[in-house]
Amino acid sequence: MPLPTPVSPAVVFPSPTTRKSNLTEGHPEVDCGVGAWDKLLYGNHRFVVVAGNGTRAAQAYRVVLPWRRQDEDPAGVDVIIVSEQTGARVRNVIVEEASRESGSIVFEAIDGQGIYFVYYLPYAMLGKPHYPQAQYLPRRPTADPAWAAVVGRSFGTGRAQGDLPNATVLRYEAASERDSFAPMNFTARRDELERFRSRHAEDAFLVFPEDRLNPISMRRDLPAHWVMSGPSYSLQGAAQAGEDYVVQLGLYAQKDLEDVTVAVTSPAGGHCINTDGVDRFGKPWRRTLGVPAGTVQALFIILPIPLNAAGGSHCAVIAIEAAGEAAWEVGVTLDVAPETEPPPAAGGFGDPRYLRRLAWLDSPVAQDAELVRPFTAITLDEPTKTLGILGRSLQVAESGLPAQVTSTFTTAVTATDGPAVELFRGPVRLDIEGIHWSYSPLTFTAEGPARMSWRCHWSGQQRSGEAGGTTAVIVQVTGVLDADGTVSYSLRLVPERAAEVPDVGLQLAFHETAVPLAMGLGVPGGRRPDSLDWAWDVAAKNQDALWLGSVNAGMQLSLRDGTYERPLNTNFYREKPLVEPVSWANRQAEGIRGGITLRTMENTVTVNAFSGARTLTANEPLDFDFRLLLTPFKPLRPGNHLAKRYFHQPADPADIRAAGATVVNVHHATAPAPYINDPLLTVESLREYVAECHRHGLKAKVYNTVRELTFHSPELLPLMQLDHEILSDGPGAGHIWLQEHAGSGYVSAWFAPDVDDIAVVTTGESRWENFYVRSLQELANGVDGIDGIYLDDIAYDRHAMLRVRKVLERACGARGVDGPDIDLHSANQFTANDGYASSANLYMEQLPYVDRLWLGEYFDYDTTDPDYWLVELSGIPFGLMGEMLEGGGNPWRGMVFGMTGRAPAVDNRPLWEFWSETGLEHGRMHGFWDPQAPIRTSHPDVRATTWLTDRGMVVALASWAGDTEHVRLIFDDGAAATSRINAPAIPGFQAAASYAPGDAITLEPRRGLLLTIGY
């Protein structure tokens, strides 16, 4: 249908090529600019005033500052005045009046007539250096009483008394353009608001088109220029063909608004990201808004500009409606640049300040069920109902629940052709006492080579009531298996009528010999306890999952329901903890009834996930969902691991190569990528560095995750308008910039002072995943695209992790290079602040798509036992290998697992040279966990890992004994014991030594040796 003609007069947004500085026009009364000063000393804001300015000289001047402030207590904040001429601070200052609208200040002209700087929001950076808590400096009277008395006698003590000469305000200045309040954060005065509201008293809400370069941030105050110019029904702007043009509208509610919707009529479509879009699973996403009276809601509308619109106009109408209120329509007319002007570069987003990247919130990239390496297509043997994946199989019982899980991974975890290991003694059951189930036939659906689903429903009868009647209970079962070994179950229990049940519980029975190791539910990684009693406590514990297994067969069980939301991780867990599952936890008046028990008896390990007694309400479903992760996920590649030698600093690539490294991790707060989790902001310098790495035969990866977002991202303030969908709600405060521009309702995160980078915490799951995956595609594409990413904890789930893997793998494939490489770093989260979560257990769902672990800060490499190392630190039971970080790690124990410390903080060159000299990266690794390992030691607390190479054997020994021990090597192959055993000199690691077969080898506590045999 034809588009309505825009209503005039229009708000006109100038072309980027003709635009004046927003700062110079940002205040109603004075010019605005940027100055240079020490903002840690004086704050971010000042007024430049001139004393005298051709009038009579005086000892003291009064200046009235039209500061139009947002802060709630202007009278309580200090004011600092400095002379331009000498840089001296003026001590004789009297603040006569300080309201949000203006401030009246009397000061001594210590250097006579001239320029003085009035700093009116000085602050102190308190708290930790990387997690500051800034506070404005309180008002501190500095005026000499004698001077104040003289000023009072000569001129009176107030504005109404005496005739002090006035200093003139020349302009407002900010310490940087990002710090400036211009033009969006100067508030309207009370008299201006009264006139404004009088003119628009009949309107339920008002709409203000605003330039996309001026992000709306104030929620409870109106910008002064809105009040003076008034709302509008139209806007005009300049666009480029092929871009996603962003229209920013400010909606001001004069009464409570409900069910606010935004409709877009445009030849090429369009939508409002506040109300419409595509969710993180690629499905349509829609919601209505509620806007409380007296608040501002920014709306962002994406208008795709067709390529064939070049040289013409593009028109659209945006209709905003609220329940029971008249619609407000904004007509948009965009002049589209001719074809002679190039379209936005770099994938269509160009200059990030124009917010075109907001369209990536709807990105469908990598939303498919295709495979990534090394996983294989799921097979189905219908007669036995057995599903096959890489190295594992899942047999499904007639109930749809697992009947058996089998692994054929070898005990070295390097291949999938080993003998079958079964986990279960019997099928998994969901039990309700007194109910006998009948099952419908199973139906299987292949959703793609990487996903298979199945469905059935159960019918059960329970005797209930004094009359002996029966209650029917239905359970709708949906199971999904992914090629990586993730099994997701949705069990929806629907009672026909109310009934009392003693418990709804999940029963799993394991072969004891198959599950000697455990992790989760308060158990740090290591040996499995014989018994465990655990109850839900989401406020303090980030725990909902238990892993049981061995290195070559295992399973993680996690319990969920339809209310599940991913919590914040690391030190932010308590800001957004786990959502307690209503079904499994079963909170009653007396407390939680649900939990998990583990018992060991008669060669069986039984896990009972119980929910306790409850009343089932008629036709009110309960979701008893759970997920299984079948481990290990993939075979180890020890040679590949040793061949990729990491350097964690973007130094000169020639020097990195000379040091023996093959991969460089470009961390944030460095020159190629200074801003956390948005490396596209400096993509040119990053690509130049990556290209130089490639020329020297290095791979280059970049720090990029989604846990935090830098304030340098132009999208940050728009994202804060999305009702905490993407940025986590929280207590606010933190760095002063956040307090002055973001207001409240956020979680302050990492601050990197060296690059002035401030961040806030994102939520766990949102459309930001779409943005993130699309941005990774941008970073990875092209000859000089990144070769992978370094993750500092993970704030998204395995679905997003799989999309990340696909995007990076496909980009590497298009370039014809091996990859990608994805690292995961985590600090030890088994602490009170982090909710006592073992990092490997917490991130197990992402491990199929990770290549290397860096676990990490605050881990104990000296006092923990080898089973803890194996389960919690090494990654080996899950099909990957790791490295060390805290204190450089323990290099001797680390070598038993193929782990080293982080270069260049740790000098790995001697070890790397030893690997090359011995051909270790081409050897076959057999760890102490492998019963087929050719060598073990005579002491149970001294562990040995052996590499078999073409030239002989390399043996890594490490002691976990408390005292110095004298151990002998025990060979499975007696012939090997005839070769001399050498300990080559490795600087910083060991002195040279030689041993005859059978000799005792002396090992001090927490130390070890690297030995060669047959070389």
Side-chain angles (χ1 to χ4, degrees):
M1 70 182 209
L3 295 172
T5 302
V7 177
S8 295
V11 174
V12 179
F13 299 148
S15 165
T17 59
T18 62
R19 182 184 307 277
K20 295 181 180 180
S21 169
N22 292 323
L23 296 182
T24 60
E25 302 175 345
H27 191 285
E29 291 106 3
V30 298
D31 286 340
C32 300
V34 172
W37 66 85
D38 184 349
K39 59 185 181 181
L40 292 179
L41 184 61
Y42 297 125
N44 298 329
H45 311 277
R46 74 184 182 189
F47 281 92
V48 181
V49 305
V50 59
N53 197 24
T55 64
R56 62 185 172 89
Q59 272 194 321
Y61 291 84
R62 174 182 287 117
V63 64
V64 177
L65 303 176
W67 48 36
R68 296 176 174 267
R69 289 162 66 163
Q70 307 170 63
D71 52 304
E72 295 298 327
D73 183 24
V77 180
D78 205 7
V79 172
I80 299 174
I81 300 180
V82 174
S83 168
E84 180 192 47
Q85 180 178 336
T86 62
R89 178 173 177 177
V90 178
R91 294 293 176 179
N92 287 328
V93 176
I94 298 173
V95 179
E96 297 180 303
E97 181 182 355
S99 68
R100 297 186 73 208
E101 297 180 351
S102 63
S104 177
I105 300 167
V106 174
F107 67 96
E108 180 185 11
I110 58 174
D111 291 322
Q113 298 187 61
I115 300 295
Y116 291 84
F117 302 123
V118 184
Y119 300 93
Y120 63 99
L121 287 171
Y123 59 87
M125 293 285 275
L126 308 177
K128 299 178 181 179
H130 293 294
Y131 292 95
Q133 289 293 328
Q135 292 182 11
Y136 288 129
L137 297 180
R139 177 70 52 78
R140 294 173 295 180
T142 59
D144 177 47
W147 177 87
V150 170
V151 170
R153 286 195 301 270
S154 302
F155 303 104
T157 57
R159 192 180 306 180
Q161 301 173 342
D163 59 347
L164 272 174
N166 290 321
T168 303
V169 177
L170 296 181
R171 62 188 176 276
Y172 157 86
E173 289 184 344
S176 73
E177 185 169 346
R178 289 199 61 81
D179 289 311
S180 179
F181 286 148
M184 298 304 299
N185 293 78
F186 290 120
T187 61
R189 297 196 310 260
R190 184 179 305 173
D191 60 316
E192 295 165 347
L193 285 170
E194 289 175 354
R195 291 192 296 271
F196 171 80
R197 288 170 176 153
S198 176
R199 289 196 301 269
H200 301 284
E202 302 302 317
D203 294 305
F205 63 92
L206 307 167
V207 176
F208 300 86
E210 183 55 69
D211 194 324
R212 55 187 169 171
L213 287 178
N214 302 331
I216 297 168
S217 62
M218 293 192 300
R219 302 300 293 266
R220 297 194 173 275
D221 288 298
L222 288 173
H225 71 278
W226 282 8
V227 172
M228 294 176 178
S229 301
S232 179
Y233 293 93
S234 61
L235 67 86
Q236 294 178 357
Q240 289 180 277
E243 77 164 303
D244 289 309
Y245 189 93
V246 174
V247 174
Q248 180 182 210
L249 302 177
L251 183 153
Y252 176 63
Q254 300 206 110
K255 59 185 294 189
D256 289 339
L257 302 179
E258 296 180 356
D259 298 330
V260 176
T261 60
V262 182
V264 180
T265 305
S266 173
H271 69 282
C272 175
I273 65 170
N274 304 72
T275 60
D276 295 273
V278 175
D279 72 9
R280 67 190 193 93
F281 295 110
K283 298 177 181 178
W285 176 93
R286 177 167 294 178
R287 71 175 177 188
T288 58
L289 301 177
V291 185
T295 63
V296 175
Q297 172 67 61
L299 303 171
F300 296 91
I301 293 87
I302 307 294
L303 292 181
I305 309 301
L307 289 172
N308 61 12
S313 295
H314 185 84
C315 296
V317 172
I318 303 167
I320 304 168
E321 295 189 48
E325 307 297 342
W328 189 294
E329 291 189 351
V330 177
V332 180
T333 302
L334 301 176
D335 296 325
V336 185
E339 293 180 354
T340 55
E341 296 191 22
F349 73 88
D351 187 338
R353 293 177 303 165
Y354 293 104
L355 301 180
R356 300 178 183 108
R357 297 192 302 174
L358 284 175
W360 294 357
L361 292 175
D362 300 322
S363 173
V365 170
Q367 294 280 17
D368 56 57
E370 299 299 317
L371 291 165
V372 298
R373 295 191 301 270
F375 301 110
T376 56
I378 299 173
T379 61
L380 171 63
D381 182 76
E382 292 204 49
T384 62
K385 300 181 179 61
T386 300
L387 301 158
I389 57 174
L390 178 69
R392 293 146 294 169
S393 64
L394 170 69
Q395 184 180 17
V396 180
E398 62 175 344
S399 65
L401 300 183
Q404 188 56 267
V405 170
T406 304
S407 170
T408 59
F409 276 86
T410 62
T411 50
V413 203
T414 54
T416 59
D417 57 355
V421 176
E422 294 183 340
L423 286 182
F424 294 141
R425 281 197 171 274
V428 175
R429 308 190 316 273
L430 184 78
D431 292 337
I432 303 178
E433 184 178 327
I435 289 186
H436 175 73
W437 300 107
S438 61
Y439 310 114
S440 71
L442 284 168
T443 58
F444 289 88
T445 303
E447 300 179 21
R451 174 165 292 179
M452 182 84 69
S453 63
W454 58 96
R455 289 174 173 79
C456 71
H457 68 269
W458 309 352
S459 298
Q461 299 288 329
Q462 182 196 42
R463 297 190 61 81
S464 62
E466 296 181 2
T470 61
T471 296
V473 180
I474 302 296
V475 177
Q476 300 164 350
V477 179
T478 301
V480 179
L481 171 66
D482 286 319
D484 60 6
T486 300
V487 190
S488 303
Y489 274 102
S490 172
L491 277 66
R492 171 157 286 194
L493 186 152
V494 185
E496 183 183 74
R497 60 176 64 92
E500 301 291 333
V501 296
D503 186 32
V504 180
L506 191 70
Q507 308 288 330
L508 303 93
F510 296 86
H511 291 286
E512 182 180 6
T513 56
V515 290
L517 305 171
M519 178 171 55
L521 305 186
V523 178
R527 303 303 295 181
R528 170 187 48 77
D530 288 334
S531 64
L532 173 69
D533 291 275
W534 176 88
W536 292 94
D537 181 12
V538 297
K541 297 177 181 178
N542 188 7
Q543 297 174 3
D544 63 355
L546 173 68
W547 177 82
L548 298 173
S550 60
V551 289
N552 62 325
M555 189 187 76
Q556 185 200 68
L557 166 68
S558 57
L559 302 178
R560 300 179 174 182
D561 67 4
T563 66
Y564 178 81
E565 291 183 16
R566 189 173 182 81
L568 298 183
N569 58 359
T570 66
N571 0 355
F572 308 118
Y573 174 74
R574 291 174 184 260
E575 267 85 1
K576 184 188 176 186
L578 280 167
V579 176
E580 189 178 276
V582 174
S583 54
W584 292 111
N586 188 16
R587 179 178 290 276
Q588 301 293 329
E590 75 280 6
I592 295 288
R593 292 184 177 178
I596 292 178
T597 61
L598 180 149
R599 298 290 184 267
T600 306
M601 59 182 64
E602 298 179 354
N603 301 318
T604 302
V605 176
T606 302
V607 174
N608 175 27
F610 60 92
S611 61
R614 73 192 323 142
T615 300
L616 299 178
T617 304
N619 299 316
E620 287 191 9
L622 285 171
D623 293 323
F624 287 90
D625 299 347
F626 64 93
R627 188 190 65 193
L628 309 176
L629 299 177
L630 312 183
T631 63
F633 299 112
K634 53 193 176 183
L636 297 178
R637 300 171 65 196
N640 181 272
H641 179 81
L642 297 181
K644 291 182 177 178
R645 303 165 188 174
Y646 277 72
F647 200 86
H648 286 262
Q649 186 183 95
D652 186 318
D655 294 338
I656 295 174
R657 187 66 182 181
T662 61
V663 182
V664 57
N665 271 342
V666 180
H667 287 257
H668 74 98
T670 61
Y675 308 131
I676 193 167
N677 295 334
D678 199 349
L680 278 176
L681 295 179
T682 53
V683 68
E684 296 303 324
S685 62
L686 178 61
R687 285 194 184 279
E688 289 175 7
Y689 184 77
V690 171
E692 186 68 11
C693 289
H694 289 169
R695 284 192 286 272
H696 284 83
L698 297 170
K699 289 195 168 188
K701 301 161 54 262
V702 68
Y703 181 113
N704 192 21
T705 179
V706 302
R707 185 183 63 187
E708 299 121 327
L709 181 62
T710 172
F711 88 129
H712 288 280
S713 292
E715 294 83 6
L716 182 71
L717 291 177
L719 295 177
M720 287 189 166
Q721 300 282 337
L722 298 185
D723 196 24
H724 305 296
E725 178 207 353
I726 291 170
L727 301 178
S728 185
D729 195 1
H735 194 280
I736 197 65
W737 186 92
L738 295 173
Q739 298 181 47
E740 292 182 346
H741 296 271
S744 61
Y746 56 84
V747 178
S748 177
W750 183 263
F751 171 55
D754 291 349
V755 291
D756 194 29
D757 190 27
I758 306 158
V760 295
V761 175
T762 62
T763 59
E765 297 171 342
S766 71
R767 288 180 295 164
W768 193 241
E769 294 173 16
N770 296 335
F771 184 107
Y772 174 68
V773 172
R774 176 65 181 83
S775 72
L776 285 176
Q777 184 183 59
E778 200 68 42
L779 288 165
N781 282 344
V783 174
D784 295 318
I786 59 171
D787 299 299
I789 55 175
Y790 174 93
L791 297 172
D792 187 1
D793 288 300
I794 305 179
Y796 45 79
D797 68 358
R798 60 170 300 280
H799 174 79
M801 187 76 240
L802 174 55
R803 294 177 68 193
V804 167
R805 188 82 198 184
K806 289 174 181 175
V807 162
L808 296 178
E809 184 174 290
R810 291 166 186 176
C812 288
R815 302 203 311 265
V817 299
D818 176 48
D821 290 295
I822 299 176
D823 306 347
L824 169 59
H825 162 256
S826 177
N828 187 357
Q829 299 192 41
F830 202 83
T831 66
N833 286 339
D834 303 314
Y836 296 105
S838 296
S839 296
N841 198 48
L842 182 65
Y843 296 123
M844 196 178 298
E845 64 176 321
Q846 289 95 354
L847 297 190
Y849 308 108
V850 169
D851 299 282
R852 187 171 305 231
L853 290 179
W854 298 90
L855 305 178
E857 288 142 317
Y858 317 126
F859 282 92
D860 184 354
Y861 298 119
D862 285 334
T863 63
T864 48
D865 63 40
D867 290 322
Y868 174 86
W869 275 71
L870 180 63
V871 176
E872 176 75 2
L873 300 176
S874 76
I876 287 167
F878 316 111
L880 67 159
M881 297 173 68
E883 311 287 5
M884 302 173 292
L885 199 157
E886 182 69 28
N890 183 306
W892 302 279
R893 291 177 175 179
M895 274 307 305
V896 171
F897 301 93
M899 303 167 74
T900 58
R902 174 174 289 188
V906 172
D907 186 1
N908 288 324
R909 287 176 296 176
L911 281 175
W912 291 345
E913 290 169 3
F914 172 80
W915 298 353
S916 297
E917 291 167 359
T918 57
L920 205 63
E921 61 201 56
H922 305 294
R924 301 187 308 277
M925 185 177 78
H926 294 272
F928 69 80
W929 52 88
D930 180 5
Q932 307 303 315
I935 295 176
R936 63 187 188 276
T937 78
S938 60
H939 195 288
D941 292 329
V942 177
R943 304 300 173 97
T945 289
T946 305
W947 283 268
L948 304 177
T949 76
D950 293 339
R951 296 172 56 191
M953 290 189 290
V954 175
V955 182
L957 298 180
S959 176
W960 275 267
D963 300 310
T964 298
E965 300 291 345
H966 308 283
V967 303
R968 290 176 173 81
L969 301 186
I970 301 172
F971 293 81
D972 281 355
D973 183 352
T978 64
S979 300
R980 190 147 188 90
I981 302 167
N982 293 309
I986 302 175
F989 189 88
Q990 66 188 30
S994 183
Y995 307 91
D999 282 355
I1001 300 171
T1002 300
L1003 292 178
E1004 298 175 5
R1006 299 185 297 279
R1007 295 180 73 91
L1009 285 173
L1010 275 170
L1011 307 173
T1012 61
I1013 305 175
Y1015 279 81

